[in-house]
Amino acid sequence: AIRVWRTNAGRAIASHQSSHLVVLGANVAELTALMERAATNLGAKEQELLGVLRDGEAERERLIVKADSEASRIQAESTGIRDSLHADVAAANAVIGELAGKL
């Protein structure tokens, strides 16, 4: 009777442990699936952020080119104004020279 009881107890314990292992296996499978989804989502976010970074870099380059172009335009305009002022000063000096010669 003791032997039967031990055998039955052993079977019950084994059955109980087996059901725990099945539940544990299901939990591990679910956790693995969650981790795979998280890795996929992280990969997608990484790609999205890299895209934003590339777009930002392209915008930065576009703004640099625009600023360089604007600086060149302003410099050319300034040079034109300076040259015009030099010509006006030279003309004024010529007029002053003529007037001084008439005095």
Side-chain angles (χ1 to χ4, degrees):
I2 292 176
R3 214 177 265 178
V4 171
W5 180 82
R6 282 185 183 165
T7 301
N8 288 341
R11 285 183 188 149
I13 290 170
S15 174
H16 186 72
Q17 287 175 339
S18 178
S19 67
H20 280 297
L21 288 175
V22 169
V23 170
L24 180 61
N27 288 344
V28 167
E30 184 179 350
L31 181 58
T32 301
L34 286 172
M35 289 172 59
E36 287 172 354
R37 269 198 316 264
T40 299
N41 290 342
L42 284 174
K45 278 294 181 194
E46 180 183 23
Q47 290 305 311
E48 182 182 335
L49 289 174
L50 286 173
V52 168
L53 183 62
R54 280 191 296 272
D55 291 348
E57 186 63 26
E59 180 66 10
R60 178 182 166 274
E61 290 299 321
R62 186 188 70 75
L63 289 173
I64 287 171
V65 168
K66 184 177 178 182
D68 285 347
S69 174
E70 187 68 11
S72 294
R73 184 191 66 75
I74 290 170
Q75 186 176 11
E77 195 175 293
S78 297
T79 299
I81 292 170
R82 186 191 69 218
D83 292 348
S84 176
L85 286 173
H86 282 250
D88 289 347
V89 168
N93 283 339
V95 169
I96 291 171
E98 283 181 31
L99 290 175
K102 290 182 181 178
L103 293 176

